[in-house]
Amino acid sequence: NEDEIYVIPIEEMSELTQHLTKCIRNKESFDNDNIELLEELVDVQICLDNLKIAFDIDDELIKTITDIKFERIQNKIIAGNQ
């Protein structure tokens, strides 16, 4: 099914969200011993990698956009501290 390229990442991100919510509520830990959380992180990363392949997005473009967004966030933090 061609919709799976969209549906599976949504499902995996939802599962990660559930685990993060449990961590916030102290029902799970935020450390490397939380195998379920780590597995969900890996599942989401795999889905992101698959989306990059499906949409023919190369790593250099991702790095460039990441750098731009990171700089924007840093500038907002600096502006907020003045």
Side-chain angles (χ1 to χ4, degrees), residues 11-56:
E11 290 171 352
E12 294 298 343
M13 287 184 284
S14 175
E15 290 174 17
L16 176 59
T17 300
Q18 289 174 4
H19 283 281
L20 290 171
T21 302
K22 288 179 183 178
C23 290
I24 291 168
R25 294 185 191 155
N26 294 318
K27 294 182 179 183
E28 287 186 21
S29 63
F30 272 116
D31 57 33
N32 290 339
D33 293 332
N34 188 341
I35 299 301
E36 292 175 349
L37 175 62
L38 295 172
E39 287 179 348
E40 294 308 330
L41 281 168
V42 169
D43 288 344
V44 169
Q45 185 61 58
I46 290 169
C47 288
L48 293 174
D49 291 342
N50 285 337
L51 286 170
K52 286 182 352 187
I53 292 167
F55 297 127
D56 195 27

Side-chain angles (χ1 to χ4, degrees), residues 1 3 5 14-15 27 30 72-73 78 81:
N1 184 344
D3 288 342
I5 191 74
S14 175
E15 290 174 17
K27 294 182 179 183
F30 272 116
R72 204 178 298 155
I73 291 167
I78 292 169
N81 288 334

